Amino acid sequence: MPRAVVTGGAGFIGSHLVDRLLAEGWQVVVIDNLITGSLHNLRHHEGNPALEFILHDVRQPFMVEGAVDYVFHLAATASPVDFIKRPLETLTVGSYGTEHALELALAKGAKFLFTSTSEVYGDPLVHPQSEDYWGNVNPIGVRGVYDESKRYAESLVMAYHRYKGADTRIVRVFNTYGERMRLDDGRVVPNFIRQALTGEPITVYGDGRQTRSFCYVSDLIEGLWRMAHTDYHLPVNLGNPDERTILEFAQLIQQLSGSTSPIVFREFLTPDDPHRRRPDITRAKSLLDWEPQVPLEEGLRRTIDDFRRRLNA
Ligand code: UDP
């Protein structure tokens, strides 16, 4: 039975990956400091001896007892609200955290998968974004702490691969949504759904003409699972190419949740909010035979149901 370590395994994407690994018969060790993750996300596995939880901040070095076959390094403060509130943690989880996760993989002879981000493309000047694009990032901007920490981490992963022989993979995760996103996470999906369900105004930042492309979490997890089984070491985009403006997105959530909340326009949270974002998934398609299956409307319905349940709990 393979044994995996998942950093950030109590987070939104991390906990869905843990579900998948356990369902595939793996043993899983979750390492999380619970700053943005929550044990709630794993409580359905309570009492399962295949799952072990270690409360630890990956910015400090760590080792795990026993054999480890795979290290999935997901730990990060990934919401703009988080990286504005915790800039130094954001930088160091990307730098020290990634180094420590790589050291664990090297020490154990384990395979390694790092979840990078579409933010490495910054406010992109090329559209859609393919892996060959080097990006347009403001290093000293408010988002720079996240973008640069992930860019540095990619650099570190490649250096460990090239010079230390680490068996690594890099996935660039584009906007992903689904059940278990933190209600107060501050990202657009939790904000709009919470606002729509509680009758608060739906806050569109800027004029709402900026675009994003949203991937449902089960599609992303399938992509991560397939990627974990490749020997491909260069970055691979995973995301849904179905691009919408944020204003369209607000209207869709309003409609799907049957909400009477008005749509209001607010200042951008960060001045360098990317204008457009859509993954070019040609590489994932040919390498993994992967593309998203869940349409936005269906994924949003499931997510709205989950939010409704949690808001009423
Ligand atoms: N956004 C918005 N209202 C909100 C939260 C976010 O209009 O309440 C916008 C934000 O300005 C950005 C997009 O939605 O253009 C996606 O933001 P999010 O924070 O989800 O993630 P990002 O893709 O920017 O990392």
Side-chain angles (χ1 to χ4, degrees), residues 34-35 41 48 64 91 108 130 141 189-190 192 204 227 250 280 286 292 310:
L34 300 181
I35 281 192
N41 293 334
N48 183 345
V64 169
L91 280 164
K108 299 288 180 180
S130 74
V189 174
F192 284 4
V204 169
M227 186 67 195
D280 178 333
S286 61
R310 285 191 287 151

Side-chain angles (χ1 to χ4, degrees), residues 80 119 143 175 186-188 191-192 203-205 210 212 246 268 273 277:
E119 283 280 326
R143 301 175 88 94
N175 294 69
R187 277 183 279 198
V188 70
N191 272 10
F192 284 4
T203 54
V204 169
Y205 299 158
Q210 71 274 30
R212 293 294 186 274
I246 290 301
F268 277 114
D273 197 291
R277 181 182 292 158

